[in-house]
Amino acid sequence: MGLMGKGAPPARATRALDLLRIVVALLILIHGVYRLTMGGVAPFGVWLESLGFPFGYGWALAVTLYEIAGPVLMLARRWTSLAALGHAAILSLGLVLVHLPFGWFVVGAGRNGVEYSVLLIAALLAIAWAWWPQRAGPAG
């Protein structure tokens, strides 16, 4: 059995990863749809330009559209690893630019910190790893 204990049964682990993929994709999708439908793209672009990003509106629109298209791909199990890695990169940048100055905690001992971003990034990396294409073994 080892120090870490028994692993999850493969069928249950597969279902658990499916559940994680679906929940994370829906969380990100809701974020993008809300920003697009509630007029949040332009203010996001202005904020990016205030940080020194050129073409802030273009970047804001690109991120928002990725937050819509990427989760749809993840839900359909198409290019899941690439979609998850792209979201992990976007969230990592957001972690540094938005949440890191507020510390660790999202609620309780602080506000707007990095802990939720870290959780989502870890989930996205696990999804990317689980759905990464396997190489065919040697013939024979």
Side-chain angles (χ1 to χ4, degrees):
M1 176 161 38
L3 184 62
M4 298 294 287
K6 255 175 98 168
R12 253 192 270 169
T14 298
R15 287 194 304 268
L17 277 169
D18 270 331
L19 178 62
L20 183 66
R21 175 184 52 81
I22 292 165
V23 169
V24 170
L26 290 174
L27 286 171
I28 295 169
L29 179 65
I30 291 166
H31 200 83
V33 168
Y34 180 83
R35 184 182 306 117
L36 186 65
T37 60
M38 300 307 288
V41 176
F44 182 27
V46 169
W47 178 74
L48 287 172
E49 286 184 1
S50 77
L51 295 178
F53 285 85
F55 312 111
Y57 181 81
W59 282 110
L61 183 60
V63 167
T64 301
L65 293 176
Y66 196 83
E67 288 175 341
I68 295 169
V72 170
L73 291 171
M74 289 171 64
L75 289 168
R77 290 191 202 128
R78 299 290 182 244
W79 298 299
T80 303
S81 292
L82 296 176
L85 288 173
H87 285 300
I90 290 168
L91 288 173
S92 295
L93 187 57
L95 181 148
V96 172
L97 295 176
V98 178
H99 301 288
L100 191 58
F102 293 96
W104 176 258
F105 296 101
V106 172
V107 296
R111 291 279 186 264
N112 207 24
V114 300
E115 67 179 332
Y116 180 65
S117 296
V118 169
L119 177 62
L120 277 176
I121 292 165
L124 285 161
L125 293 176
I127 292 164
W129 184 26
W131 270 270
W132 193 261
Q134 293 183 355
R135 290 185 189 192

